[in-house]
Amino acid sequence: MRSLLRPTLRRALQAVVTVWAAYTLTFLLLNVLPGDAVLARVGADTGLDEISPEQLEELRRSMGLDGSPVTQYLDRLSGLLTGDLGDSMRTGAPVATTITDALPATLGLAAAGFVVAVVGAAVLAVVTVRTRSVWLRGLLGSLPGLGLGLPAYIIGPLLIMVFSFGLRLLPAAGSGGPEALVLPAVTLAVVPGAMIAQILVSSLEHALAQPYATTAVAKGAGRLRTILVHCLRNALPPALAMAGVVVGTLLAGSVLVETIYSRAGLGRVMLDAVNNVDLTVVQGVALVGAVAVVVANLAADLGTRLLDPRGRAPRRVAPVVPVAVGSAS
Amino acid sequence: MTAVVVGTAEVPRRRGPALPIRADLLVSGVIVALFVLVAIVPGLFTAADPQLAVPEEKLFAPSAGHPFGTDQIGRDQFARMVHGAGVSLWAGLLSIVVSLGVGGLLGLVAGYVGRAADTFLMRLCDAILAIPGLLFALTWIAAFGAGARSVAVAVGIAGVPTVARIMRAEVQRTRTSVYVEAALACGVRPAGVLFGHVLPNSWRPVLALAPLEFGQALLAMGALGYLGFSDSTEGPEWGALIAQGQTYLVVAPWLLFIPALSLAVVVIAVTHLSSLRNGRHA
């Protein structure tokens, strides 16, 4: 375990740097490159006609947009270290509070979507690899590719059409009750689930072709047991490497799902902020997204090291010769 | 004996049936070709004006006169979809030009110059990758405004890191090859080596990424269209049609499922073609 500490610390440091870089990037995009956020703000509210230079200056100060970009940036960054994301340009409320208020709803949705995606992908992958029927394998094997072409805004309205208005089984909108979470969670899960299933099928097939799988079968293990007990653990790292992408997809998907099903949450906060040119809120939500993705990558990295003892050893050991001979026969 | 069973289970999938032309490839190819044709010459498929509203014909079900029905103010939905395809196609092309152009250039510089430039550019790519694509695009829209072109550029930028990483790896591989060493030894200027020797030998894998990126761009454009950010003078993009269709879900379900399924089918066809192409490369 001690050998895990150093690489993990190094990766954690890289993660912090990445979050900082992402924050700086959004700052550059939002505050430096495009003309004038204050004018955009005023324009969004009232139209540009009736506003005096003094009023503009006053607005600028109240939004923390006076001074040079560098001082603004340093101000924001030092605020960030104390958990202060600035104030909303529209309502004046602290961005951090706005986000923490909206976060639980989105986290609940994303967690439900994650569970559906992982369980669905794992079952689909194991059944695909397990079956000996060629047509079933072909059918199941093509599902992930189809799923990737069905993002939330396509599958969601179709599910509403069938299950809410056609069969009248599940509510089409709202945040209340567990049954209101079913369709959103499934909608959110399709694309990340398809990604995971695709990776898992190919890595399971690869694992099944390895000598240790052959050994397990030779010693009398059934095909399902071979897959679940012997292959799954070794097939996991490629799927784990997708964790950042999956978390990013879940977050991006929840923006769509919250719109499709009229739910409250971080996605709605982001959309309202974009529509109202509320740049501090936009930047805050983008930062939360980056933190989530980076943390997921970090966790996946640690998980891979825990799963694969080779990553833990101080020096990688060359494959033992008898194994290579076994695979050739 | 059992080992043999484990092995053979894989063989038919890998080799594929021994048909001269695979049916799935043919179908995907026809779908993509049709989509491109519709997008380029919409006039060939419909004479109806996508903007012409006939209020007394609102929310008509699909019929001979209106193959896809009419929308809530009586516009011909088929004409709207046909003209919307053009928006999706051009926006998709613009976004892959951005991601291949910018990403290719970044990867070229990072891979060839190395050192600090490499570190800086790759950290920049990490930063872009860290922000989930849709959130990045929304941030871009907040900064530069909505509209089909802005959205296409945003989607393109979000695709830059993937392209840059592949380009960088290719350039690093090419840079150390013997012919590059020879060119440098012969006294060819660095720029000459870069564009005369390194680039011609490293752009192919990046270009192979284009169809996949195009499919992703179509999906992302649809998402932002659904959210109402890709207004265009040409007509509504398909994602926007889906959002509109959802409003009239109960009275006119065809307004929802025709654009939704069409977009899904086109994207799946594009992705299918690109995955097979890439699979053959590997």
Side-chain angles (χ1 to χ4, degrees), chain A residues 7 37 48 53 55 70 76 96 162-164 181 198 255 296 306 311 315:
Chain A
L48 288 174
Q55 280 174 305
V70 179
R76 289 283 196 81
V162 175
F163 290 97
S164 298
L181 192 61
Q198 219 169 25
V255 175
L306 285 174
R315 212 174 277 153

Side-chain angles (χ1 to χ4, degrees), chain B residues 200-224:
Chain B
N201 289 296
S202 49
W203 59 268
R204 275 169 205 281
V206 173
L207 202 69
L209 210 62
L212 194 66
E213 289 281 315
F214 181 71
Q216 291 301 307
L218 282 184
L219 283 183
M221 289 297 303
L224 291 156

Side-chain angles (χ1 to χ4, degrees), chain B residues 108-184:
Chain B
L108 194 64
V109 172
Y112 194 72
V113 179
R115 296 167 193 270
D118 185 25
T119 311
F120 173 76
L121 291 175
M122 286 302 111
R123 289 293 86 79
L124 178 66
C125 286
D126 287 348
I128 299 176
L129 270 184
I131 305 170
L134 189 62
L135 294 187
F136 183 83
L138 287 172
T139 308
W140 185 275
I141 289 166
F144 299 102
R149 191 175 305 168
S150 170
V151 166
V153 174
V155 170
I157 299 279
V160 159
T162 321
V163 177
R165 283 183 172 180
I166 292 181
M167 188 71 181
R168 171 176 174 266
E170 280 302 308
V171 169
Q172 283 178 337
R173 188 181 56 77
T174 317
R175 195 186 55 169
T176 52
S177 64
V178 182
Y179 54 84
V180 167
E181 217 174 290
L184 284 170

Side-chain angles (χ1 to χ4, degrees), chain A residues 23-60:
Chain A
Y23 185 78
T24 307
L25 182 71
T26 56
F27 180 87
L28 285 174
L29 280 180
L30 293 171
N31 298 41
V32 181
L33 289 178
D36 199 320
V38 180
L39 283 182
R41 185 71 284 256
V42 172
D45 269 356
T46 57
L48 288 174
D49 328 330
E50 303 293 321
I51 192 151
S52 68
E54 292 79 33
Q55 280 174 305
L56 261 185
E57 208 42 54
E58 176 53 37
L59 260 175
R60 221 176 276 280

Side-chain angles (χ1 to χ4, degrees), chain B residues 20-216:
Chain B
I21 298 171
R22 287 182 48 177
D24 55 337
L25 281 181
L26 190 69
V27 171
S28 303
V30 167
I31 290 169
V32 173
L34 198 63
F35 172 72
V36 171
L37 195 64
V38 165
I40 294 175
V41 273
L44 210 62
F45 295 86
T46 176
D49 179 356
Q51 311 291 0
L52 179 72
V54 186
E56 53 270 26
E57 290 187 0
K58 66 175 183 178
L59 298 176
F60 273 22
S63 64
H66 302 289
F68 289 177
T70 60
D71 74 356
Q72 72 279 9
I73 56 170
R75 290 174 293 194
D76 182 52
Q77 181 77 354
F78 182 67
R80 280 163 71 70
M81 278 197 65
V82 164
H83 286 271
V87 181
S88 301
L89 179 72
W90 293 123
L93 288 180
L94 176 59
S95 74
I96 58 172
V97 165
V98 169
S99 43
L100 292 190
V102 178
L105 193 68
L106 293 189
L108 194 64
V109 172
Y112 194 72
V113 179
R115 296 167 193 270
D118 185 25
T119 311
F120 173 76
L121 291 175
M122 286 302 111
R123 289 293 86 79
L124 178 66
C125 286
D126 287 348
I128 299 176
L129 270 184
I131 305 170
L134 189 62
L135 294 187
F136 183 83
L138 287 172
T139 308
W140 185 275
I141 289 166
F144 299 102
R149 191 175 305 168
S150 170
V151 166
V153 174
V155 170
I157 299 279
V160 159
T162 321
V163 177
R165 283 183 172 180
I166 292 181
M167 188 71 181
R168 171 176 174 266
E170 280 302 308
V171 169
Q172 283 178 337
R173 188 181 56 77
T174 317
R175 195 186 55 169
T176 52
S177 64
V178 182
Y179 54 84
V180 167
E181 217 174 290
L184 284 170
C186 292
V188 181
R189 281 173 296 116
V193 174
L194 188 57
F195 293 105
H197 297 277
V198 174
L199 187 59
N201 289 296
S202 49
W203 59 268
R204 275 169 205 281
V206 173
L207 202 69
L209 210 62
L212 194 66
E213 289 281 315
F214 181 71
Q216 291 301 307

